[in-house]
């Protein structure tokens, strides 16, 4: 399965079998997010979550396994083949009722209508770090478009960063470059997003060396940033 995914696009994380690691449950926001998603049976206005760059959909399956109604979950992916491989890997095409949307957020003027202003949570695991500063800004503003325009809606996840923020050429990603944030630049970045979208955000971000030993063999000053960006 890894080899098939690698043929579709040779992401380093895919080559390292990260689709077998349910990263969403390791995020500090997970407890809050899960609690709200599990309360959906008693609500008319369902709590919803979209996974940006969902890959094989492993984190959505982790939420379903934890009891979240699959119809509350959406997966957004630019490579259609990853979605199909996910169904093959988890053997659940007939039963997985989450909605998967294939779209390139950089190539369209606005987000798909079924996501526009509809999401309470957006999970971005190993997503934003595939792009340079300018593309990260465009994609973050698209994510803001997806969120419900109310306090408490949140973007959370993780991405590779550096000890000191820098943009670097990386041929193994579609854009050919990555902006590696440090915590200070990440907060500053979301200040820019807020200014350009007329929104305000509470930003929490932590940097650590944990969990990226293989990547740090390639670039020793890499760090893993885990973040919560909550609308005020």
């Amino acid at each position: 399965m890894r080899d098939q995914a690698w043929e579709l696009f040779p992401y380093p994380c895919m080559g390292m079998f990260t689709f077998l690691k349910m990263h969403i449950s390791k995020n500090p926001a997970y407890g809050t997010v899960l609690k709200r998603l599990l309360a959906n049976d008693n609500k008319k206005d369902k709590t919803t979550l979209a996974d940006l760059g969902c890959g094989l959909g492993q984190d959505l399956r982790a939420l379903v396994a934890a009891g979240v109604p699959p119809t509350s979950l959406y997966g957004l992916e630019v490579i259609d083949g990853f979605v199909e491989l996910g169904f093959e890997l988890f053997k659940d095409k007939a039963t997985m009722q989450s909605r998967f949307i294939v779209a390139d957020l950089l190539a369209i003027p606005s987000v798909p209508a079924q996501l526009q202003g509809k999401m309470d949570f957006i999970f971005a695991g190993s997503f934003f770090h595939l792009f340079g500063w300018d593309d990260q800004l465009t994609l973050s503003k698209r994510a803001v478009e997806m969120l419900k325009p109310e306090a408490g809606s949140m973007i959370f996840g993780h991405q590779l960063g550096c000890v000191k923020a820098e943009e670097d050429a990386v041929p193994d990603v579609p854009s050919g470059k990555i902006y590696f944030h440090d915590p200070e630049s990440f907060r500053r970045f979301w200040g820019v997003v807020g200014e350009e979208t007329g929104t305000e955000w509470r930003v929490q971000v932590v940097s650590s060396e944990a969990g990226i030993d293989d990547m740090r063999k390639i670039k020793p000053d890499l760090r893993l940033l885990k973040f919560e960006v909550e609308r005020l």
Side-chain angles (χ1 to χ4, degrees):
M1 197 65 64
R2 189 282 306 270
D3 293 344
Q4 291 181 61
W6 184 262
E7 289 179 8
L8 289 171
F9 197 93
Y11 288 117
C13 59
M14 197 65 72
M16 296 163 65
F17 289 93
T18 57
F19 60 90
L20 299 180
K21 300 177 181 179
M22 310 306 184
H23 286 289
I24 193 168
S25 62
K26 300 176 179 65
N27 190 278
Y30 176 72
T32 298
V33 172
L34 182 63
K35 183 178 180 180
R36 288 183 56 185
L37 288 168
L38 290 175
N40 268 342
D41 288 342
N42 302 318
K43 294 177 59 180
K44 291 183 179 180
D45 182 19
K46 300 296 186 184
T47 301
T48 52
L49 177 144
D51 184 354
L52 287 188
C54 65
L56 276 64
Q58 64 276 5
D59 289 297
L60 296 180
R61 266 77 175 200
L63 290 171
V64 172
V68 175
T71 54
S72 302
L73 306 174
Y74 297 74
L76 191 66
E77 177 54 57
V78 71
I79 300 175
D80 188 18
F82 282 165
V83 175
E84 292 304 314
L85 280 180
F87 287 128
E88 185 178 346
L89 176 64
F90 292 99
K91 308 297 183 187
D92 62 359
K93 189 162 188 176
T95 58
M96 181 59 171
Q97 297 176 302
S98 299
R99 280 158 279 191
F100 292 92
I101 299 164
V102 177
D104 183 352
L105 292 179
L106 290 173
I108 56 179
S110 60
V111 302
Q114 59 265 57
L115 300 176
Q116 186 87 36
K118 303 291 178 60
M119 298 296 111
D120 293 278
F121 299 111
I122 292 175
F123 178 64
S126 299
F127 176 71
F128 288 118
H129 71 208
L130 299 174
F131 306 92
W133 175 284
D134 291 340
D135 284 345
Q136 284 189 33
L137 184 59
T138 298
L139 291 165
S140 295
K141 290 193 288 187
R142 293 282 188 266
V144 171
E145 288 182 54
M146 295 182 201
L147 287 177
K148 293 178 181 176
E150 56 190 41
S153 58
M154 179 191 297
I155 302 166
F156 71 106
H158 60 273
Q159 62 194 61
L160 290 176
C162 267
V163 173
K164 185 176 181 180
E166 63 177 34
E167 189 162 84
D168 199 2
V170 181
D172 293 333
V173 299
S175 65
K177 59 184 178 181
I178 286 176
Y179 192 91
F180 294 100
H181 286 281
D182 59 27
E184 181 181 354
S185 77
F186 187 83
R187 295 185 191 96
R188 178 166 55 87
F189 175 86
W190 274 94
V192 175
V193 174
E195 289 174 3
E196 296 196 7
T197 59
T199 56
E200 291 186 78
W201 304 90
R202 179 182 63 85
V203 179
Q204 296 188 75
V205 55
V206 295
S207 172
S208 77
E209 300 178 8
I212 55 169
D213 291 344
D214 289 338
M215 298 297 290
R216 291 182 64 241
K217 292 176 183 176
I218 303 169
K219 189 177 176 68
D221 59 347
L222 283 180
R223 296 294 182 267
L224 183 66
L225 303 183
K226 293 185 179 182
F227 59 86
E228 302 172 45
V229 183
E230 182 179 3
R231 188 166 187 163
L232 299 176

